[in-house]
Structures are given as C-alpha cells and as structure tokens.
Amino acid sequence: MTQGATDTSERIRREAASLFRTRGFNGTSMADLAAAVGITKSSLYHHFPSKQALLSEIIELTMGRVTPLIQEIAESDAPAAERLHRAVVLHTTATLMDRDYVACFIEEGRYLAPEYMAAHLAKRDRYERFFRQILEDGLASGEFLPHDAAITAMALLGMCNATVRWYRPEGDRGPDEIALQFADLAVRGVAADHAARVPTADAAT
C-alpha cells in the first residue's frame, strides 16, 4: 500500500469513528462517510469492502494499542494496588484522549456481524481478564477486601467507559485529572486498609 493510500485509509477510519460515535453505526451510511472524507463511494469501497469491515478494523486498532500496555501492567511485579491504579489511569486516559475510536469499541461493537463478532468478544474478554487478574492478585495478597473480581472489574470498566458519553474537552477537568480521580476511587474502593496511601502520580505513569 502506498503512503497516499495509507493516509486516505487513516482519514476514512478517523471520519468513520467520529460519525459512528455521534450518529451511531446504523445511523451512518457509506455515502455519508464518503462525503465527510471528500471521496467517491467507489473510492471508499476500494479501501474498505464494507462498513462492517471498517468498524472491525477500527476496533482492532483500538484494542491493539491499549491491550499490550494493560497486559504489561497486570503482569508486572508491582503491588496489586499500584497495578490497579496504573491500569485505571491508562484505560481512562486512553478513553478520553481518543473518544471516537474507543466509543466504537465500547458502544458500536455490538453491531458487528457474526463473522467479526467472535474475534471482537474474545479480545474484549481477554482485556477484561487483565483487570480481573489484578483484582484477584490483590485478594490473594490481602491488599483488597473480599469481593467478586469479575463483577468489580466490570464495574470499574463501566465507570471508566461511561466517560465517552459525558466528557467534554472544553470542560473544567482534563483527561489526566479525571483518570487520576477514577484510579484513586478504584483503589480506595477495594483496599483492605482504607487508610492505605493511594499510589502517587509517578507510580501511575
């Protein structure tokens, strides 16, 4: 693929992610997307054979960027509280910094056709397992209060994921501040010692 074709494909993905987030996957046609990018429908289909294939690629790229970083945190030797704090900071920051792409993963992935859905669900479940791993490690070490790790992981991710709906870049709080507040809340919510010191910002980076 030439550089020009690569650039056009990226423009298509960016415009598609924006339209899917604001109008919904089902509310966006390929004609809408072609007009937004400034190309013909035939050119659009040259880059992506279907709207389904385009959504799938956006989700794949999103997961491919964030999952290895979360895995690295989950599998590190740091205490569970520090790992949870870092993982929530990373997940929330990624969500807020690239809302269009992440919203496709969080909100629009449910519309994938069966030929794409199985791979999507497997990667989503793998991502969630890294959060469960951290929570289970904290239970085993006594750092965290007794809880159902699967439910807690879904609750934490749900809290972070909801930011794609209400966050506004022009608001009073930036991504870093929101991410740190969420991470502090997550650790304090499960810590066995409520007086335990929340990891510092340096530990979260």
Side-chain angles (χ1 to χ4, degrees), residues 19 23 28-37 39-41 44-45 51:
L19 289 171
R23 299 185 187 180
T28 303
S29 69
M30 291 294 265
D32 293 332
L33 180 54
V37 179
I39 59 177
T40 64
K41 280 182 66 177
L44 177 58
Y45 280 110
K51 193 168 69 163

Side-chain angles (χ1 to χ4, degrees), residues 85-101:
H85 197 271
R86 291 172 58 200
V88 172
V89 166
L90 174 61
H91 179 86
T92 307
T93 303
T95 299
L96 295 177
M97 295 298 290
D98 202 356
R99 285 187 304 155
D100 292 343
Y101 266 57

Side-chain angles (χ1 to χ4, degrees), residues 6-200:
T6 300
D7 291 345
T8 300
S9 294
E10 174 60 15
R11 283 173 50 220
I12 292 169
R13 285 192 295 267
R14 281 287 166 193
E15 289 290 348
S18 177
L19 289 171
F20 293 163
R21 181 176 71 83
T22 56
R23 299 185 187 180
F25 177 75
N26 290 330
T28 303
S29 69
M30 291 294 265
D32 293 332
L33 180 54
V37 179
I39 59 177
T40 64
K41 280 182 66 177
S42 61
S43 178
L44 177 58
Y45 280 110
H46 173 74
H47 291 275
F48 295 95
S50 68
K51 193 168 69 163
Q52 284 281 338
L54 177 53
L55 176 61
S56 178
E57 184 166 319
I58 290 170
I59 292 172
E60 289 285 325
L61 288 170
T62 304
M63 294 301 293
R65 283 195 295 265
V66 182
T67 300
L69 302 176
I70 291 292
Q71 180 177 3
E72 181 179 354
I73 292 171
E75 295 178 350
S76 73
D77 294 329
E82 181 181 327
R83 283 183 281 149
L84 180 61
H85 197 271
R86 291 172 58 200
V88 172
V89 166
L90 174 61
H91 179 86
T92 307
T93 303
T95 299
L96 295 177
M97 295 298 290
D98 202 356
R99 285 187 304 155
D100 292 343
Y101 266 57
V102 175
C104 288
F105 166 65
I106 295 170
E107 303 281 357
E108 306 305 314
R110 57 187 157 168
Y111 299 118
L112 285 170
E115 60 265 34
Y116 298 106
M117 183 62 78
H120 167 60
L121 293 178
K123 291 179 179 179
R124 183 202 65 186
D125 291 348
R126 179 170 178 262
Y127 187 84
E128 291 178 359
R129 278 198 298 273
F130 292 127
F131 280 84
R132 291 203 304 272
Q133 176 185 334
I134 295 170
L135 292 165
E136 288 166 356
D137 289 348
L139 286 169
S141 68
E143 290 179 70
F144 296 161
L145 291 166
H147 65 270
D148 185 310
I151 292 175
T152 302
M154 286 188 289
L156 293 177
L157 288 170
M159 174 181 72
C160 300
N161 292 345
T163 58
V164 300
R165 303 185 192 99
W166 57 258
Y167 174 70
R168 296 293 179 269
E170 66 275 11
D172 295 334
R173 302 286 189 275
D176 292 341
E177 185 177 355
I178 293 170
L180 284 172
Q181 185 167 331
F182 275 20
D184 291 353
L185 181 63
V187 172
R188 290 188 175 120
V190 297
D193 179 2
H194 287 292
R197 184 166 178 248
V198 170
T200 65

